[in-house]
Amino acid sequence: MSDRSDLLITADELAAALNAADGRRVRLLDVRWRLDAPDGRPAYLAGHIPGAVYVDLDMQLAKKGDARQGRHPLPPIEQFERDARAWGIDDGDRVVVYDDLGNMSAARAWWLLRYGGFHDVRMLDGGLRAWLASGRELESGPVHPAPGTVSLSYGHLPVVSMDEALHVAHHGILLDARAPERYRGETEPIDPRAGHIPGARNTPTTANVDESGRFLDAGSLRERFEAAGVTEDIQVATYCGSGVTAAHNAAALMIAGLRPALYPGSWSQWSQHADRPVATGDEPAEDEQHDVLRGE
């Protein structure tokens, strides 16, 4: 079971690790991306934590192709390992990821590295804002590290498929990490159908952090997810629009002491399949969930 120190690092802790004399190198990954501004490279070039390498979420943390797989299907392991080596990562390194969005995008890199078997990776709690608030400087321009030699293999964190996600929704707890208005189907800015997977419960990922973008404490997160029906003895999985912020929800669940699965295809895959049921409105009552399960 993970705790906060396994997943997160503070700005002060990062600065100390960068200056540590233990011989272990820290590789920094800048994963700035957002739905309305997917190319974070200009912001990265203008100023980033010294030594950080830019990671292109769309091109390096996903593999675009058939729309029926979703907007951000997982990249093939060969591609991901090649890119991780291009970021300069060796097997014995420490890796710290960050963004300027409360780790909403950086969590994708954190989760994918963990899924690939690289365990010494943490998110900078509070992201770039926390680094700047600590009084530390940025540098500009690109960073081109020497190629690394890291070896990766998928399967080190639990995932669910499209079929398994619906099963979890009715036999466990499936959490939808999107904004409430998208969950309810009131608006859908990018995917072909509005609504949510029947039986899913809404826990917007933005509520995982405080005003500064730092994750809430374990107890507060635990209370939040327990209010949605999550317990230690029930299967839980999470999804979002395309599998990006679902990784943030997964991290919050792990901080709370739980072991979630992630549905990588998320709503962007589900909504592409006309044969898949869609629910709208607020969370269904328990009897309505069972009606959907029976196909009524």
Side-chain angles (χ1 to χ4, degrees), residues 178-190 193-196 202 267 278-283:
R178 295 173 301 158
E181 61 271 19
R182 289 186 70 191
Y183 168 83
R184 292 191 297 264
E186 296 167 0
T187 182
E188 180 46 62
I190 192 166
R193 292 194 287 168
H196 59 267
N202 190 213
W267 185 250
V278 171
T280 57
D282 291 324
E283 297 170 1

Side-chain angles (χ1 to χ4, degrees), residues 55-272:
V55 173
D56 188 322
L57 187 148
D58 281 333
M59 302 303 296
Q60 296 180 309
L61 302 181
K63 175 65 174 178
K64 295 300 181 68
D66 184 352
R68 288 169 60 84
Q69 295 180 335
R71 286 184 278 113
H72 291 109
L74 302 184
I77 186 59
E78 298 82 7
Q79 172 193 318
F80 184 53
E81 183 181 80
R82 183 171 61 250
D83 285 328
R85 290 178 176 180
W87 303 329
I89 299 176
D90 292 327
D91 285 315
D93 288 344
R94 299 170 179 171
V95 174
V96 175
V97 302
Y98 72 90
D99 59 28
D100 59 356
L101 200 63
N103 283 305
M104 299 293 173
S105 55
R108 171 73 170 209
W110 163 82
W111 184 89
L112 201 52
L113 283 165
R114 290 286 301 267
Y115 183 60
F118 193 94
H119 298 292
D120 198 352
V121 53
R122 290 167 176 77
M123 292 171 280
L124 174 59
D125 201 16
L128 189 62
R129 189 176 4 162
W131 181 263
L132 292 171
S134 72
R136 297 181 170 93
E137 300 295 324
L138 302 181
E139 69 175 10
S140 60
V143 173
H144 300 292
T149 59
V150 67
S151 296
L152 300 172
S153 62
Y154 282 161
H156 297 267
L157 288 177
V159 297
V160 294
S161 66
M162 184 162 55
D163 289 335
E164 292 167 337
L166 187 60
H167 178 85
V168 174
H170 300 293
H171 297 280
I173 298 292
L174 182 65
L175 300 178
D176 185 317
R178 295 173 301 158
E181 61 271 19
R182 289 186 70 191
Y183 168 83
R184 292 191 297 264
E186 296 167 0
T187 182
E188 180 46 62
I190 192 166
D191 292 317
R193 292 194 287 168
H196 59 267
I197 297 174
R201 306 182 184 199
N202 190 213
T203 55
T205 196
T206 51
N208 292 331
V209 297
D210 62 19
E211 296 82 0
S212 69
R214 292 179 171 86
F215 277 91
L216 302 180
D217 63 84
S220 297
L221 289 170
R222 184 91 173 197
E223 290 179 7
R224 177 173 186 248
F225 292 121
E226 286 179 346
V230 179
T231 63
E232 288 187 4
D233 57 355
I234 194 168
Q235 184 181 13
V236 59
T238 186
Y239 75 95
C240 61
S242 67
V244 175
T245 58
H248 195 279
N249 228 27
L253 284 157
M254 291 171 70
I255 292 170
L258 302 160
R259 184 170 171 78
L262 189 145
Y263 170 30
S266 286
W267 185 250
S268 63
Q269 179 186 43
W270 187 276
S271 61
Q272 287 282 351

Side-chain angles (χ1 to χ4, degrees), residues 2-42:
S2 297
D3 62 27
R4 194 179 186 91
S5 65
D6 290 331
L7 281 69
L8 304 173
I9 188 170
T10 67
D12 288 343
E13 291 168 342
L14 173 57
L18 289 169
N19 295 313
D22 60 5
R24 293 193 63 199
R25 184 180 60 177
V26 177
R27 177 59 67 200
L28 283 162
L29 304 181
D30 185 308
V31 198
R32 274 181 269 187
W33 176 94
R34 56 196 311 151
L35 190 60
D36 59 348
D39 185 5
R41 189 180 300 274

